[in-house]
Amino acid sequence: MSNNTLKEEILKLKEELDVTIVAHFYQKDEVFNIADFTGDSLELAKFAASDSKPNLIFCGVGFMGQSVKILDPNKKVLMPRIACCAMAKMIDEDYYNQNVENLEKSGIKKEDIMPVTYINSSAEVKAAVGKMGGYVCTSSNAKLIITKALKSGKKILFVPDRCLGQNIAIDMGLKSCVVGDGSDPKDADIICYNGFCSVHQLFEVEDIEFYKEKYPDILVVTHPECKPEVCEKSDFVGSTSQIIKYIKELSIEQKVVVGTEYNMVNRLREKNTYVLSSTKPECPTMNETRLEDVRDTLLSIKDGSYINEITISEDTRKYAFEALNRMFEL
Ligand code: 13P
Ligand code: SF4
């Protein structure tokens, strides 16, 4: 079936079934283009949780659909693919608890730890953080949340993305360490778990040097999941939405090279845009979702089988909500 026929079928089913479809910027174009709303992680969570329709199809990765379910347990949240963010999979509740125990062994009391989890984490990790009075943050508000968390006078345990934690520490003039790097966590303000995004690890300082040599006036724009040395050499670092806004405001002649996922950068081609890598930086799990999957999800709403519906136990949801809500309160 052609994409156009599928698209027509999807739009018809969407109207008939009273469903909202949202998509992250990293989704394939054909999926991105049928969404009612697109945004970065924070915008998607906010929009989807306040949307009045009872059914939501989330084209993104697992933690994104879970965030909506945590915020609005009465909504049916379905994902065309249960695609898991590889970084979010790097930590589970047991690993999280082990890390807290290890910090205790190294002389930092549990009550002196303030955990902050990047939204790219499972509901269980968010709940463990919520139980300790901690926060969720996204790439667009990490600095604000860490500033607030530090007011507790405690050390920050930042999970799972070491790069985002390190980048915020550099930006705020704070000391950071990465679990297992051999340094004493007692010396750090922000203790980062050793997780990372394999897509954003692709971007190197050499790539920046290559483009700067070729086009001396080019601007370098990166996502804070990139390595600290890459972000330090960037002209702008921001969430996916912040990057889009920054680039849209540039003059058409201004060359810009971008270090984030390929589908999103490719959509910015009407500007003088380059990809900061010689390989195609695609997020494999974001790319799993196809129009066929969206159609099948709609059909499952119609026949009541509700494929790939997100479910979270109430005990987990309640604590994960606390951590997410502390972010929204700010
Ligand atoms: P944003 O919140 O900036 O959209 O980032 C989500 C993400 O997974 C980036 O890799
Ligand atoms: Fe996760 Fe990286 Fe994909 Fe973002 S780009 S969803 S952090 S694996």
Side-chain angles (χ1 to χ4, degrees), residues 1-37:
M1 197 184 277
S2 77
N3 273 358
N4 276 347
T5 321
L6 266 171
K7 195 176 158 183
E8 274 170 33
E9 193 182 349
I10 287 170
L11 296 178
K12 231 168 99 194
L13 281 164
K14 191 159 73 83
E15 282 315 303
E16 181 190 332
L17 298 167
D18 208 18
V19 180
T20 299
I21 301 180
V22 299
H24 187 263
F25 294 120
Y26 293 169
Q27 291 288 297
K28 286 179 193 300
D29 285 352
E30 60 265 34
V31 174
F32 184 83
N33 291 334
I34 48 109
D36 299 298
F37 184 82

PDB file of all heavy atoms in Angstrom, residues 1-37:
ATOM      1  N   MET A   1       0.848  -1.205   0.000  1.00  0.00           N
ATOM      2  CA  MET A   1       0.000   0.000   0.000  1.00  0.00           C
ATOM      3  C   MET A   1       0.890   1.264   0.000  1.00  0.00           C
ATOM      4  O   MET A   1       1.892   1.300   0.724  1.00  0.00           O
ATOM      5  CB  MET A   1      -0.886  -0.019   1.258  1.00  0.00           C
ATOM      6  CG  MET A   1      -2.070   0.921   1.192  1.00  0.00           C
ATOM      7  SD  MET A   1      -3.003   0.959   2.731  1.00  0.00           S
ATOM      8  CE  MET A   1      -4.057  -0.464   2.554  1.00  0.00           C
ATOM      9  N   SER A   2       0.531   2.254  -0.793  1.00  0.00           N
ATOM     10  CA  SER A   2       1.391   3.453  -0.857  1.00  0.00           C
ATOM     11  C   SER A   2       1.217   4.291   0.422  1.00  0.00           C
ATOM     12  O   SER A   2       0.199   4.183   1.119  1.00  0.00           O
ATOM     13  CB  SER A   2       1.025   4.304  -2.060  1.00  0.00           C
ATOM     14  OG  SER A   2      -0.162   5.018  -1.773  1.00  0.00           O
ATOM     15  N   ASN A   3       2.218   5.138   0.681  1.00  0.00           N
ATOM     16  CA  ASN A   3       2.154   6.003   1.856  1.00  0.00           C
ATOM     17  C   ASN A   3       0.941   6.928   1.824  1.00  0.00           C
ATOM     18  O   ASN A   3       0.330   7.217   2.852  1.00  0.00           O
ATOM     19  CB  ASN A   3       3.434   6.840   1.965  1.00  0.00           C
ATOM     20  CG  ASN A   3       4.500   6.089   2.725  1.00  0.00           C
ATOM     21  OD1 ASN A   3       4.266   4.974   3.203  1.00  0.00           O
ATOM     22  ND2 ASN A   3       5.674   6.689   2.830  1.00  0.00           N
ATOM     23  N   ASN A   4       0.574   7.377   0.606  1.00  0.00           N
ATOM     24  CA  ASN A   4      -0.571   8.289   0.496  1.00  0.00           C
ATOM     25  C   ASN A   4      -1.875   7.607   0.888  1.00  0.00           C
ATOM     26  O   ASN A   4      -2.713   8.178   1.593  1.00  0.00           O
ATOM     27  CB  ASN A   4      -0.686   8.822  -0.936  1.00  0.00           C
ATOM     28  CG  ASN A   4       0.224  10.016  -1.110  1.00  0.00           C
ATOM     29  OD1 ASN A   4       0.734  10.561  -0.116  1.00  0.00           O
ATOM     30  ND2 ASN A   4       0.448  10.401  -2.361  1.00  0.00           N
ATOM     31  N   THR A   5      -2.039   6.345   0.434  1.00  0.00           N
ATOM     32  CA  THR A   5      -3.257   5.604   0.784  1.00  0.00           C
ATOM     33  C   THR A   5      -3.289   5.346   2.292  1.00  0.00           C
ATOM     34  O   THR A   5      -4.321   5.504   2.940  1.00  0.00           O
ATOM     35  CB  THR A   5      -3.277   4.245   0.025  1.00  0.00           C
ATOM     36  OG1 THR A   5      -2.774   4.454  -1.267  1.00  0.00           O
ATOM     37  CG2 THR A   5      -4.636   3.628   0.002  1.00  0.00           C
ATOM     38  N   LEU A   6      -2.125   4.963   2.835  1.00  0.00           N
ATOM     39  CA  LEU A   6      -2.054   4.722   4.283  1.00  0.00           C
ATOM     40  C   LEU A   6      -2.397   5.987   5.065  1.00  0.00           C
ATOM     41  O   LEU A   6      -3.120   5.955   6.058  1.00  0.00           O
ATOM     42  CB  LEU A   6      -0.630   4.306   4.664  1.00  0.00           C
ATOM     43  CG  LEU A   6      -0.320   2.824   4.728  1.00  0.00           C
ATOM     44  CD1 LEU A   6       1.167   2.606   4.906  1.00  0.00           C
ATOM     45  CD2 LEU A   6      -1.077   2.173   5.891  1.00  0.00           C
ATOM     46  N   LYS A   7      -1.854   7.096   4.576  1.00  0.00           N
ATOM     47  CA  LYS A   7      -2.081   8.378   5.245  1.00  0.00           C
ATOM     48  C   LYS A   7      -3.580   8.711   5.269  1.00  0.00           C
ATOM     49  O   LYS A   7      -4.127   9.098   6.304  1.00  0.00           O
ATOM     50  CB  LYS A   7      -1.294   9.455   4.491  1.00  0.00           C
ATOM     51  CG  LYS A   7      -1.135  10.735   5.259  1.00  0.00           C
ATOM     52  CD  LYS A   7      -0.269  11.705   4.513  1.00  0.00           C
ATOM     53  CE  LYS A   7      -0.597  13.094   5.041  1.00  0.00           C
ATOM     54  NZ  LYS A   7       0.114  14.138   4.367  1.00  0.00           N
ATOM     55  N   GLU A   8      -4.231   8.502   4.125  1.00  0.00           N
ATOM     56  CA  GLU A   8      -5.677   8.771   4.054  1.00  0.00           C
ATOM     57  C   GLU A   8      -6.456   7.893   5.034  1.00  0.00           C
ATOM     58  O   GLU A   8      -7.345   8.368   5.745  1.00  0.00           O
ATOM     59  CB  GLU A   8      -6.195   8.491   2.635  1.00  0.00           C
ATOM     60  CG  GLU A   8      -6.045   9.682   1.713  1.00  0.00           C
ATOM     61  CD  GLU A   8      -6.342   9.308   0.276  1.00  0.00           C
ATOM     62  OE1 GLU A   8      -7.201   8.435   0.044  1.00  0.00           O
ATOM     63  OE2 GLU A   8      -5.692   9.885  -0.615  1.00  0.00           O
ATOM     64  N   GLU A   9      -6.061   6.613   5.068  1.00  0.00           N
ATOM     65  CA  GLU A   9      -6.740   5.671   5.979  1.00  0.00           C
ATOM     66  C   GLU A   9      -6.543   6.112   7.441  1.00  0.00           C
ATOM     67  O   GLU A   9      -7.490   6.114   8.239  1.00  0.00           O
ATOM     68  CB  GLU A   9      -6.162   4.259   5.753  1.00  0.00           C
ATOM     69  CG  GLU A   9      -6.989   3.168   6.399  1.00  0.00           C
ATOM     70  CD  GLU A   9      -6.381   1.770   6.213  1.00  0.00           C
ATOM     71  OE1 GLU A   9      -5.437   1.619   5.416  1.00  0.00           O
ATOM     72  OE2 GLU A   9      -6.866   0.848   6.888  1.00  0.00           O
ATOM     73  N   ILE A  10      -5.324   6.525   7.754  1.00  0.00           N
ATOM     74  CA  ILE A  10      -5.013   6.953   9.126  1.00  0.00           C
ATOM     75  C   ILE A  10      -5.827   8.192   9.504  1.00  0.00           C
ATOM     76  O   ILE A  10      -6.436   8.259  10.577  1.00  0.00           O
ATOM     77  CB  ILE A  10      -3.485   7.224   9.265  1.00  0.00           C
ATOM     78  CG1 ILE A  10      -2.724   5.891   9.263  1.00  0.00           C
ATOM     79  CG2 ILE A  10      -3.160   8.035  10.518  1.00  0.00           C
ATOM     80  CD1 ILE A  10      -1.218   6.001   9.158  1.00  0.00           C
ATOM     81  N   LEU A  11      -5.867   9.168   8.606  1.00  0.00           N
ATOM     82  CA  LEU A  11      -6.580  10.411   8.928  1.00  0.00           C
ATOM     83  C   LEU A  11      -8.077  10.154   9.112  1.00  0.00           C
ATOM     84  O   LEU A  11      -8.712  10.739   9.991  1.00  0.00           O
ATOM     85  CB  LEU A  11      -6.315  11.479   7.857  1.00  0.00           C
ATOM     86  CG  LEU A  11      -4.840  11.934   7.771  1.00  0.00           C
ATOM     87  CD1 LEU A  11      -4.630  12.954   6.664  1.00  0.00           C
ATOM     88  CD2 LEU A  11      -4.342  12.494   9.103  1.00  0.00           C
ATOM     89  N   LYS A  12      -8.628   9.228   8.314  1.00  0.00           N
ATOM     90  CA  LYS A  12     -10.050   8.890   8.439  1.00  0.00           C
ATOM     91  C   LYS A  12     -10.323   8.206   9.781  1.00  0.00           C
ATOM     92  O   LYS A  12     -11.242   8.574  10.520  1.00  0.00           O
ATOM     93  CB  LYS A  12     -10.453   7.940   7.298  1.00  0.00           C
ATOM     94  CG  LYS A  12     -11.687   8.418   6.552  1.00  0.00           C
ATOM     95  CD  LYS A  12     -11.894   7.647   5.293  1.00  0.00           C
ATOM     96  CE  LYS A  12     -12.941   6.560   5.567  1.00  0.00           C
ATOM     97  NZ  LYS A  12     -12.966   5.563   4.521  1.00  0.00           N
ATOM     98  N   LEU A  13      -9.480   7.225  10.107  1.00  0.00           N
ATOM     99  CA  LEU A  13      -9.652   6.494  11.378  1.00  0.00           C
ATOM    100  C   LEU A  13      -9.490   7.427  12.578  1.00  0.00           C
ATOM    101  O   LEU A  13     -10.197   7.329  13.574  1.00  0.00           O
ATOM    102  CB  LEU A  13      -8.616   5.369  11.481  1.00  0.00           C
ATOM    103  CG  LEU A  13      -8.903   4.089  10.699  1.00  0.00           C
ATOM    104  CD1 LEU A  13      -7.653   3.234  10.579  1.00  0.00           C
ATOM    105  CD2 LEU A  13     -10.023   3.292  11.380  1.00  0.00           C
ATOM    106  N   LYS A  14      -8.555   8.352  12.456  1.00  0.00           N
ATOM    107  CA  LYS A  14      -8.277   9.294  13.547  1.00  0.00           C
ATOM    108  C   LYS A  14      -9.523  10.137  13.859  1.00  0.00           C
ATOM    109  O   LYS A  14      -9.883  10.329  15.022  1.00  0.00           O
ATOM    110  CB  LYS A  14      -7.113  10.191  13.123  1.00  0.00           C
ATOM    111  CG  LYS A  14      -6.528  11.043  14.233  1.00  0.00           C
ATOM    112  CD  LYS A  14      -5.122  11.474  13.892  1.00  0.00           C
ATOM    113  CE  LYS A  14      -5.069  12.533  12.829  1.00  0.00           C
ATOM    114  NZ  LYS A  14      -5.284  13.877  13.345  1.00  0.00           N
ATOM    115  N   GLU A  15     -10.183  10.617  12.821  1.00  0.00           N
ATOM    116  CA  GLU A  15     -11.394  11.418  12.999  1.00  0.00           C
ATOM    117  C   GLU A  15     -12.508  10.587  13.634  1.00  0.00           C
ATOM    118  O   GLU A  15     -13.163  10.993  14.591  1.00  0.00           O
ATOM    119  CB  GLU A  15     -11.883  11.947  11.647  1.00  0.00           C
ATOM    120  CG  GLU A  15     -11.125  13.138  11.122  1.00  0.00           C
ATOM    121  CD  GLU A  15     -10.882  14.211  12.178  1.00  0.00           C
ATOM    122  OE1 GLU A  15     -11.862  14.720  12.781  1.00  0.00           O
ATOM    123  OE2 GLU A  15      -9.695  14.496  12.419  1.00  0.00           O
ATOM    124  N   GLU A  16     -12.661   9.369  13.065  1.00  0.00           N
ATOM    125  CA  GLU A  16     -13.747   8.480  13.496  1.00  0.00           C
ATOM    126  C   GLU A  16     -13.585   8.081  14.969  1.00  0.00           C
ATOM    127  O   GLU A  16     -14.557   7.988  15.719  1.00  0.00           O
ATOM    128  CB  GLU A  16     -13.689   7.234  12.583  1.00  0.00           C
ATOM    129  CG  GLU A  16     -14.732   6.192  12.839  1.00  0.00           C
ATOM    130  CD  GLU A  16     -14.403   4.912  12.049  1.00  0.00           C
ATOM    131  OE1 GLU A  16     -13.750   4.991  10.981  1.00  0.00           O
ATOM    132  OE2 GLU A  16     -14.804   3.823  12.540  1.00  0.00           O
ATOM    133  N   LEU A  17     -12.339   7.892  15.402  1.00  0.00           N
ATOM    134  CA  LEU A  17     -12.108   7.292  16.729  1.00  0.00           C
ATOM    135  C   LEU A  17     -11.776   8.297  17.831  1.00  0.00           C
ATOM    136  O   LEU A  17     -11.529   7.915  18.974  1.00  0.00           O
ATOM    137  CB  LEU A  17     -10.973   6.257  16.637  1.00  0.00           C
ATOM    138  CG  LEU A  17     -11.244   5.079  15.706  1.00  0.00           C
ATOM    139  CD1 LEU A  17      -9.967   4.303  15.451  1.00  0.00           C
ATOM    140  CD2 LEU A  17     -12.301   4.163  16.315  1.00  0.00           C
ATOM    141  N   ASP A  18     -11.699   9.587  17.497  1.00  0.00           N
ATOM    142  CA  ASP A  18     -11.414  10.593  18.509  1.00  0.00           C
ATOM    143  C   ASP A  18     -10.052  10.327  19.192  1.00  0.00           C
ATOM    144  O   ASP A  18      -9.956  10.153  20.407  1.00  0.00           O
ATOM    145  CB  ASP A  18     -12.546  10.569  19.574  1.00  0.00           C
ATOM    146  CG  ASP A  18     -12.718  11.920  20.229  1.00  0.00           C
ATOM    147  OD1 ASP A  18     -12.238  12.910  19.649  1.00  0.00           O
ATOM    148  OD2 ASP A  18     -13.312  11.973  21.331  1.00  0.00           O
ATOM    149  N   VAL A  19      -9.046  10.290  18.359  1.00  0.00           N
ATOM    150  CA  VAL A  19      -7.693   9.986  18.838  1.00  0.00           C
ATOM    151  C   VAL A  19      -6.771  11.158  18.529  1.00  0.00           C
ATOM    152  O   VAL A  19      -6.913  11.795  17.493  1.00  0.00           O
ATOM    153  CB  VAL A  19      -7.130   8.754  18.077  1.00  0.00           C
ATOM    154  CG1 VAL A  19      -5.731   8.399  18.545  1.00  0.00           C
ATOM    155  CG2 VAL A  19      -8.041   7.562  18.224  1.00  0.00           C
ATOM    156  N   THR A  20      -5.828  11.417  19.417  1.00  0.00           N
ATOM    157  CA  THR A  20      -4.781  12.392  19.116  1.00  0.00           C
ATOM    158  C   THR A  20      -3.491  11.631  18.837  1.00  0.00           C
ATOM    159  O   THR A  20      -3.176  10.661  19.523  1.00  0.00           O
ATOM    160  CB  THR A  20      -4.567  13.348  20.323  1.00  0.00           C
ATOM    161  OG1 THR A  20      -5.786  14.044  20.570  1.00  0.00           O
ATOM    162  CG2 THR A  20      -3.463  14.355  20.049  1.00  0.00           C
ATOM    163  N   ILE A  21      -2.762  12.082  17.823  1.00  0.00           N
ATOM    164  CA  ILE A  21      -1.469  11.464  17.513  1.00  0.00           C
ATOM    165  C   ILE A  21      -0.377  12.514  17.744  1.00  0.00           C
ATOM    166  O   ILE A  21      -0.474  13.641  17.245  1.00  0.00           O
ATOM    167  CB  ILE A  21      -1.400  10.970  16.049  1.00  0.00           C
ATOM    168  CG1 ILE A  21      -2.519   9.943  15.779  1.00  0.00           C
ATOM    169  CG2 ILE A  21      -0.023  10.366  15.735  1.00  0.00           C
ATOM    170  CD1 ILE A  21      -2.544   9.380  14.370  1.00  0.00           C
ATOM    171  N   VAL A  22       0.623  12.136  18.535  1.00  0.00           N
ATOM    172  CA  VAL A  22       1.761  13.046  18.731  1.00  0.00           C
ATOM    173  C   VAL A  22       3.032  12.339  18.276  1.00  0.00           C
ATOM    174  O   VAL A  22       3.117  11.110  18.283  1.00  0.00           O
ATOM    175  CB  VAL A  22       1.901  13.521  20.203  1.00  0.00           C
ATOM    176  CG1 VAL A  22       0.681  14.280  20.653  1.00  0.00           C
ATOM    177  CG2 VAL A  22       2.198  12.359  21.157  1.00  0.00           C
ATOM    178  N   ALA A  23       4.022  13.139  17.865  1.00  0.00           N
ATOM    179  CA  ALA A  23       5.279  12.547  17.376  1.00  0.00           C
ATOM    180  C   ALA A  23       6.479  13.389  17.801  1.00  0.00           C
ATOM    181  O   ALA A  23       6.412  14.630  17.811  1.00  0.00           O
ATOM    182  CB  ALA A  23       5.249  12.434  15.855  1.00  0.00           C
ATOM    183  N   HIS A  24       7.557  12.695  18.146  1.00  0.00           N
ATOM    184  CA  HIS A  24       8.807  13.392  18.461  1.00  0.00           C
ATOM    185  C   HIS A  24       9.490  13.774  17.149  1.00  0.00           C
ATOM    186  O   HIS A  24       9.265  13.163  16.109  1.00  0.00           O
ATOM    187  CB  HIS A  24       9.713  12.481  19.313  1.00  0.00           C
ATOM    188  CG  HIS A  24      10.939  13.191  19.810  1.00  0.00           C
ATOM    189  ND1 HIS A  24      12.155  13.098  19.172  1.00  0.00           N
ATOM    190  CD2 HIS A  24      11.123  14.025  20.873  1.00  0.00           C
ATOM    191  CE1 HIS A  24      13.047  13.837  19.838  1.00  0.00           C
ATOM    192  NE2 HIS A  24      12.438  14.414  20.866  1.00  0.00           N
ATOM    193  N   PHE A  25      10.376  14.783  17.230  1.00  0.00           N
ATOM    194  CA  PHE A  25      11.084  15.281  16.038  1.00  0.00           C
ATOM    195  C   PHE A  25      11.953  14.221  15.366  1.00  0.00           C
ATOM    196  O   PHE A  25      12.316  14.380  14.210  1.00  0.00           O
ATOM    197  CB  PHE A  25      11.990  16.458  16.423  1.00  0.00           C
ATOM    198  CG  PHE A  25      11.241  17.675  16.874  1.00  0.00           C
ATOM    199  CD1 PHE A  25      11.442  18.199  18.142  1.00  0.00           C
ATOM    200  CD2 PHE A  25      10.340  18.315  16.029  1.00  0.00           C
ATOM    201  CE1 PHE A  25      10.761  19.335  18.556  1.00  0.00           C
ATOM    202  CE2 PHE A  25       9.653  19.446  16.428  1.00  0.00           C
ATOM    203  CZ  PHE A  25       9.872  19.957  17.704  1.00  0.00           C
ATOM    204  N   TYR A  26      12.329  13.166  16.079  1.00  0.00           N
ATOM    205  CA  TYR A  26      13.220  12.161  15.489  1.00  0.00           C
ATOM    206  C   TYR A  26      12.462  11.108  14.671  1.00  0.00           C
ATOM    207  O   TYR A  26      13.078  10.194  14.130  1.00  0.00           O
ATOM    208  CB  TYR A  26      14.004  11.426  16.587  1.00  0.00           C
ATOM    209  CG  TYR A  26      15.016  12.250  17.346  1.00  0.00           C
ATOM    210  CD1 TYR A  26      15.616  11.741  18.503  1.00  0.00           C
ATOM    211  CD2 TYR A  26      15.405  13.514  16.935  1.00  0.00           C
ATOM    212  CE1 TYR A  26      16.547  12.472  19.219  1.00  0.00           C
ATOM    213  CE2 TYR A  26      16.333  14.255  17.652  1.00  0.00           C
ATOM    214  CZ  TYR A  26      16.903  13.727  18.793  1.00  0.00           C
ATOM    215  OH  TYR A  26      17.831  14.444  19.511  1.00  0.00           O
ATOM    216  N   GLN A  27      11.134  11.216  14.620  1.00  0.00           N
ATOM    217  CA  GLN A  27      10.373  10.226  13.860  1.00  0.00           C
ATOM    218  C   GLN A  27      10.599  10.403  12.358  1.00  0.00           C
ATOM    219  O   GLN A  27      10.918  11.505  11.880  1.00  0.00           O
ATOM    220  CB  GLN A  27       8.869  10.386  14.169  1.00  0.00           C
ATOM    221  CG  GLN A  27       8.504   9.975  15.585  1.00  0.00           C
ATOM    222  CD  GLN A  27       8.568   8.460  15.791  1.00  0.00           C
ATOM    223  OE1 GLN A  27       7.839   7.718  15.179  1.00  0.00           O
ATOM    224  NE2 GLN A  27       9.461   8.021  16.681  1.00  0.00           N
ATOM    225  N   LYS A  28      10.403   9.320  11.625  1.00  0.00           N
ATOM    226  CA  LYS A  28      10.482   9.375  10.158  1.00  0.00           C
ATOM    227  C   LYS A  28       9.512  10.432   9.639  1.00  0.00           C
ATOM    228  O   LYS A  28       8.430  10.599  10.220  1.00  0.00           O
ATOM    229  CB  LYS A  28      10.002   8.041   9.570  1.00  0.00           C
ATOM    230  CG  LYS A  28      10.912   6.867   9.701  1.00  0.00           C
ATOM    231  CD  LYS A  28      10.172   5.675   9.054  1.00  0.00           C
ATOM    232  CE  LYS A  28      10.782   4.346   9.351  1.00  0.00           C
ATOM    233  NZ  LYS A  28      12.133   4.149   8.921  1.00  0.00           N
ATOM    234  N   ASP A  29       9.831  11.055   8.500  1.00  0.00           N
ATOM    235  CA  ASP A  29       8.981  12.122   7.948  1.00  0.00           C
ATOM    236  C   ASP A  29       7.518  11.712   7.786  1.00  0.00           C
ATOM    237  O   ASP A  29       6.609  12.459   8.138  1.00  0.00           O
ATOM    238  CB  ASP A  29       9.503  12.561   6.569  1.00  0.00           C
ATOM    239  CG  ASP A  29      10.757  13.404   6.702  1.00  0.00           C
ATOM    240  OD1 ASP A  29      11.117  13.753   7.842  1.00  0.00           O
ATOM    241  OD2 ASP A  29      11.369  13.702   5.672  1.00  0.00           O
ATOM    242  N   GLU A  30       7.304  10.512   7.221  1.00  0.00           N
ATOM    243  CA  GLU A  30       5.904  10.125   6.926  1.00  0.00           C
ATOM    244  C   GLU A  30       5.074  10.011   8.205  1.00  0.00           C
ATOM    245  O   GLU A  30       3.876  10.301   8.207  1.00  0.00           O
ATOM    246  CB  GLU A  30       5.831   8.833   6.099  1.00  0.00           C
ATOM    247  CG  GLU A  30       6.447   7.605   6.729  1.00  0.00           C
ATOM    248  CD  GLU A  30       7.889   7.364   6.270  1.00  0.00           C
ATOM    249  OE1 GLU A  30       8.594   8.359   6.031  1.00  0.00           O
ATOM    250  OE2 GLU A  30       8.287   6.194   6.177  1.00  0.00           O
ATOM    251  N   VAL A  31       5.707   9.628   9.306  1.00  0.00           N
ATOM    252  CA  VAL A  31       5.001   9.532  10.591  1.00  0.00           C
ATOM    253  C   VAL A  31       4.856  10.939  11.187  1.00  0.00           C
ATOM    254  O   VAL A  31       3.776  11.343  11.635  1.00  0.00           O
ATOM    255  CB  VAL A  31       5.771   8.587  11.553  1.00  0.00           C
ATOM    256  CG1 VAL A  31       5.145   8.595  12.941  1.00  0.00           C
ATOM    257  CG2 VAL A  31       5.810   7.167  10.992  1.00  0.00           C
ATOM    258  N   PHE A  32       5.947  11.677  11.172  1.00  0.00           N
ATOM    259  CA  PHE A  32       5.972  13.046  11.706  1.00  0.00           C
ATOM    260  C   PHE A  32       4.846  13.890  11.081  1.00  0.00           C
ATOM    261  O   PHE A  32       4.164  14.643  11.757  1.00  0.00           O
ATOM    262  CB  PHE A  32       7.346  13.644  11.380  1.00  0.00           C
ATOM    263  CG  PHE A  32       7.582  15.008  11.930  1.00  0.00           C
ATOM    264  CD1 PHE A  32       8.006  15.181  13.239  1.00  0.00           C
ATOM    265  CD2 PHE A  32       7.400  16.137  11.140  1.00  0.00           C
ATOM    266  CE1 PHE A  32       8.233  16.446  13.753  1.00  0.00           C
ATOM    267  CE2 PHE A  32       7.620  17.405  11.647  1.00  0.00           C
ATOM    268  CZ  PHE A  32       8.042  17.551  12.963  1.00  0.00           C
ATOM    269  N   ASN A  33       4.649  13.700   9.765  1.00  0.00           N
ATOM    270  CA  ASN A  33       3.688  14.551   9.040  1.00  0.00           C
ATOM    271  C   ASN A  33       2.216  14.251   9.331  1.00  0.00           C
ATOM    272  O   ASN A  33       1.356  15.068   9.003  1.00  0.00           O
ATOM    273  CB  ASN A  33       3.941  14.453   7.526  1.00  0.00           C
ATOM    274  CG  ASN A  33       5.250  15.124   7.166  1.00  0.00           C
ATOM    275  OD1 ASN A  33       5.701  16.019   7.876  1.00  0.00           O
ATOM    276  ND2 ASN A  33       5.880  14.674   6.090  1.00  0.00           N
ATOM    277  N   ILE A  34       1.904  13.119   9.932  1.00  0.00           N
ATOM    278  CA  ILE A  34       0.479  12.858  10.220  1.00  0.00           C
ATOM    279  C   ILE A  34       0.123  13.228  11.669  1.00  0.00           C
ATOM    280  O   ILE A  34      -1.016  13.066  12.098  1.00  0.00           O
ATOM    281  CB  ILE A  34       0.071  11.378   9.939  1.00  0.00           C
ATOM    282  CG1 ILE A  34       1.049  10.385  10.563  1.00  0.00           C
ATOM    283  CG2 ILE A  34      -0.081  11.106   8.462  1.00  0.00           C
ATOM    284  CD1 ILE A  34       0.538   9.648  11.712  1.00  0.00           C
ATOM    285  N   ALA A  35       1.118  13.715  12.432  1.00  0.00           N
ATOM    286  CA  ALA A  35       0.862  14.002  13.858  1.00  0.00           C
ATOM    287  C   ALA A  35       0.051  15.279  14.041  1.00  0.00           C
ATOM    288  O   ALA A  35       0.166  16.222  13.260  1.00  0.00           O
ATOM    289  CB  ALA A  35       2.193  14.107  14.594  1.00  0.00           C
ATOM    290  N   ASP A  36      -0.753  15.302  15.112  1.00  0.00           N
ATOM    291  CA  ASP A  36      -1.497  16.518  15.460  1.00  0.00           C
ATOM    292  C   ASP A  36      -0.588  17.498  16.182  1.00  0.00           C
ATOM    293  O   ASP A  36      -0.822  18.697  16.193  1.00  0.00           O
ATOM    294  CB  ASP A  36      -2.661  16.186  16.421  1.00  0.00           C
ATOM    295  CG  ASP A  36      -3.646  15.237  15.787  1.00  0.00           C
ATOM    296  OD1 ASP A  36      -4.233  15.629  14.773  1.00  0.00           O
ATOM    297  OD2 ASP A  36      -3.800  14.107  16.288  1.00  0.00           O
ATOM    298  N   PHE A  37       0.422  16.955  16.846  1.00  0.00           N
ATOM    299  CA  PHE A  37       1.319  17.810  17.626  1.00  0.00           C
ATOM    300  C   PHE A  37       2.703  17.187  17.610  1.00  0.00           C
ATOM    301  O   PHE A  37       2.844  15.963  17.722  1.00  0.00           O
ATOM    302  CB  PHE A  37       0.798  17.926  19.073  1.00  0.00           C
ATOM    303  CG  PHE A  37       1.609  18.861  19.939  1.00  0.00           C
ATOM    304  CD1 PHE A  37       1.393  20.238  19.907  1.00  0.00           C
ATOM    305  CD2 PHE A  37       2.615  18.367  20.784  1.00  0.00           C
ATOM    306  CE1 PHE A  37       2.154  21.103  20.692  1.00  0.00           C
ATOM    307  CE2 PHE A  37       3.365  19.228  21.581  1.00  0.00           C
ATOM    308  CZ  PHE A  37       3.132  20.602  21.535  1.00  0.00           C
TER     309      PHE A  37
END
